[in-house]
Amino acid sequence: MVFMKDEDKTPAKALRKNSAGGGVADKLGNTYELSWAVHHALQCIQDERRAITLEDLDPDLSDGSEFTFVDERGTVVVTQVKRQHSINDHWTVAALRSRGIFAAAARHVTNGREYHFSSMTPCGRLRVLSEWARQSTDVNQFIRHQLTDQLGPAFDELSAPDIFGSAEGAWQVIRGMWFEVGDEQQLVRTNAMFAATVLEGAAAPLLPVAVGAVLLNNLRKRLTRRELLDELASYGIYARQAAAKRTAYDEIHAATTSWRRTVERELLTPAIPRAESVDLVELLGRTRLALVVGSGGGGKSSVVYQAVRVLESRGAEVLAFRLDRRGAFSSTAELGAQLGLTSSPVASLRMAADGRDAFLVIDQLDAVSLVSGRLSERYDVIEDLIYEATAVEGVKVILVCRLFDVENDHRIRKLDARMDVERLTIGPLPEDAVNGAIEAMDIDPTVLTSSQKQLLSSPLNLVLLESVANQPGALNFNSRGSLFEAFWQRKRQTINVYRPEVRFNDVLARIANAASDQQALSVGIEILDAEDYIKDAQVLASEQILAIDGDRVSFFHETFFDYTFARQWLTRGQSMIEFLCAQEQELFRRAQVRQILELLRERDPVRFRTEVEAILTESSIRIHIKETVMIVFANVSDPTDEDLDLVIRFNAGDSTLMRRLWQRIARPSWFEVVYRRGLIETWLDSSDQILRDRGITWLTNAAPPRPHAECAASGRARPD
């Protein structure tokens, strides 16, 4: 097939001509089958040991396949592409058998080849079966240890006489089968990104079109890197030069250095070595997608920071950035531009790596979660970015996210459930590490209460304490809020000594209010233009209170933004009902509501209860805000009789919310105040089954361990 006339083969011009207005190149370059072939052809351009043949002349090779691919090991891979199953949303064993897929796979696998089946429609259990079959040494081990009840029926179908004839035959063949799923438009975009890392001479979307043209003009010919580049040269397209790779390297280095500085602002001096960083490096040796989770302020970024240093010491290239410091972006290319990259993050990273191992670190993934509500509409772009990274070779991804968001955002939960994702959970700091850090501040760890030590098992809280450790009353803290307050006062006093003209409170309030209004964690630096606030902000940034990255400004940590907003909100003389009803009650407000209530609890417990009761009983407040309020209320460390009175009053209201509130507070911290009131005995003795169930729940979930003798004296059985 001829793609275009010789006279049309001018650099880029011919490609534009044929890709515009529904031309031949556009139709062919975007067909699903050809897109898969282009993807493999680009791999050949990347590695001269590989080769591709579209529609092989050898009938033994072309039977049941679109193209043949030889990888760097010399292994022959045949690929069959079926765009989609027109009837179902997944391929069944019967549907694939009727199309001759298994018969073709058996012939190729028996002859020592790999057989790949690529489609937009997933194969579900077949993909899992093939992956697990490759992990077993024989069919008996596979059946005994890996064949689950869910997978069993599919394997039985494969073992039937009309497919593979036996369990041994089924196991042997599916070990040599790969089931690949790829969305058509996503594959086109990925090919453009991939092509831009190895080729130049035309716009990125046109590069795969040219590769497709070369394939179609050379049907049944074996093409390696040399032949592909020779053909592409007639279109003015060549292999990327060293200068482009050097530019990408410099851009990647600058972006990662910026990320590194943001993490260093939150590190102790000296830093605490984290054992989890070693675990992360080991985990990356067996997976391409690692999800690092933990609590807010729990040191996730510092663990990744230490792991990145190890990876870089081994010669790897790393691109790391945090999502909470980004502005609006609607594509991976726009995100790349925000990071100062010429191309999308994956394309730039692969060019910079130039064949070396490459790692993409996406920090603060929770910034795009539905739960945080900060940048949730941009999650789709991050999903595209993850797809791009996993669709090309040599790139591994580290995602960093709060555990709360993983558990409560269905999109991130789905990502976590993927078979190719491995999770690493970052726990609290061990006691010896906490004691060592406290001693380095010249503080005797033995003078701290157990609750204070528990607070300091969070690295962020240790950083806050370190900043005020040499001040009088440094140990008079009982919450993160009181640590933030001490941090605030210390920084204001420090700045006042050498720059008394700096408008400390005004700058922080201006940024916090702008971020709240825009529902973003960072805002454009132009909000500081009025009255020349930028000079003051630069001083605060030098004290590591603010972070100025390019044209955006943010707080050094997300939780400090919430604290700052709550602190200045208390001066408004406004009720929370007024605050919430003055605007849309978006998910973004949840963190602000949580911080305001926590601050009120410390400073004005009476108003705290007033605000809680008002929100829970106000019909105009959305349920997700009420859920947040109940969580904060249930987590008070030392509930009082007045707190319990609020719950009892609320008991007469909405029955659904009432039940949720009783469930929330069924915990040891609330047990004593509820027990003293005699409520548990009343519930257990009630004729109402709901109340009896509540009493049992409290004894089971909330009651602290009690000696047998005490339980016997009470006349009730000891809960086990």
Side-chain angles (χ1 to χ4, degrees), residues 362-417:
I362 305 175
D363 199 357
Q364 308 293 324
L365 180 66
D366 39 85
V368 297
S369 84
L370 288 170
V371 181
S372 73
R374 310 293 197 185
L375 309 165
S376 58
E377 71 280 1
R378 294 165 207 169
Y379 181 83
D380 289 344
V381 178
I382 301 306
E383 216 169 32
D384 289 344
L385 186 62
I386 295 169
Y387 182 92
E388 287 182 4
T390 54
V392 298
E393 295 181 22
V395 179
K396 296 187 177 184
V397 182
I398 303 171
L399 303 165
V400 189
C401 187
R402 290 182 306 191
L403 179 60
F404 180 80
D405 295 87
V406 175
E407 293 176 340
N408 292 280
D409 185 326
H410 68 276
R411 303 171 307 175
I412 303 178
R413 194 163 60 243
K414 181 180 178 181
L415 174 66
D416 181 41

Side-chain angles (χ1 to χ4, degrees), residues 663-674:
Q663 291 169 355
R664 290 284 187 189
I665 68 172
R667 57 183 67 197
S669 59
W670 280 82
F671 183 82
E672 188 60 33
V673 67
V674 174

Side-chain angles (χ1 to χ4, degrees), residues 66-78:
E66 311 291 345
F67 58 87
T68 306
F69 179 74
V70 179
D71 66 17
E72 66 279 4
R73 303 164 298 169
T75 302
V76 177
V77 179
V78 294

Side-chain angles (χ1 to χ4, degrees), residues 681-693:
E681 289 192 50
T682 300
W683 293 334
L684 291 172
D685 292 335
S686 173
S687 59
D688 187 330
Q689 184 62 46
I690 293 177
L691 292 179
R692 288 201 304 273
D693 289 343

Side-chain angles (χ1 to χ4, degrees), residues 295-480:
S295 61
K300 301 180 295 296
S301 296
S302 62
V303 167
V304 176
Y305 173 91
Q306 293 177 22
V308 164
R309 293 184 64 179
V310 174
L311 296 171
E312 289 177 330
S313 71
R314 297 178 178 179
E317 191 63 55
V318 178
L319 170 58
F321 62 91
R322 50 191 298 166
L323 287 173
D324 60 337
R325 303 286 169 84
R326 307 270 66 85
F329 53 85
S330 59
S331 67
T332 59
E334 286 186 17
L335 175 58
Q338 280 198 25
L339 295 170
L341 309 177
T342 304
S343 307
S344 76
V346 174
S348 294
L349 177 58
R350 292 189 81 255
M351 279 190 283
D354 196 19
R356 294 176 292 129
D357 290 338
F359 295 87
L360 176 68
V361 177
I362 305 175
D363 199 357
Q364 308 293 324
L365 180 66
D366 39 85
V368 297
S369 84
L370 288 170
V371 181
S372 73
R374 310 293 197 185
L375 309 165
S376 58
E377 71 280 1
R378 294 165 207 169
Y379 181 83
D380 289 344
V381 178
I382 301 306
E383 216 169 32
D384 289 344
L385 186 62
I386 295 169
Y387 182 92
E388 287 182 4
T390 54
V392 298
E393 295 181 22
V395 179
K396 296 187 177 184
V397 182
I398 303 171
L399 303 165
V400 189
C401 187
R402 290 182 306 191
L403 179 60
F404 180 80
D405 295 87
V406 175
E407 293 176 340
N408 292 280
D409 185 326
H410 68 276
R411 303 171 307 175
I412 303 178
R413 194 163 60 243
K414 181 180 178 181
L415 174 66
D416 181 41
R418 284 174 44 167
M419 286 194 61
D420 57 346
V421 173
E422 289 209 34
R423 182 200 284 194
L424 176 67
T425 301
I426 309 301
L429 289 170
E431 186 176 359
D432 59 342
V434 174
N435 289 340
I438 294 171
E439 289 171 349
M441 302 175 199
D442 293 327
I443 297 175
D444 180 3
T446 62
V447 304
L448 296 173
T449 66
S450 59
S451 61
Q452 285 179 319
K453 282 192 175 183
Q454 184 176 1
L455 275 169
L456 295 177
S457 65
S458 164
L460 176 60
N461 292 345
L462 275 174
V463 170
L464 295 173
L465 178 62
E466 183 184 41
S467 69
V468 301
N470 60 354
Q471 298 293 297
L475 302 185
N476 297 334
F477 66 90
N478 54 21
S479 67
R480 178 175 287 177

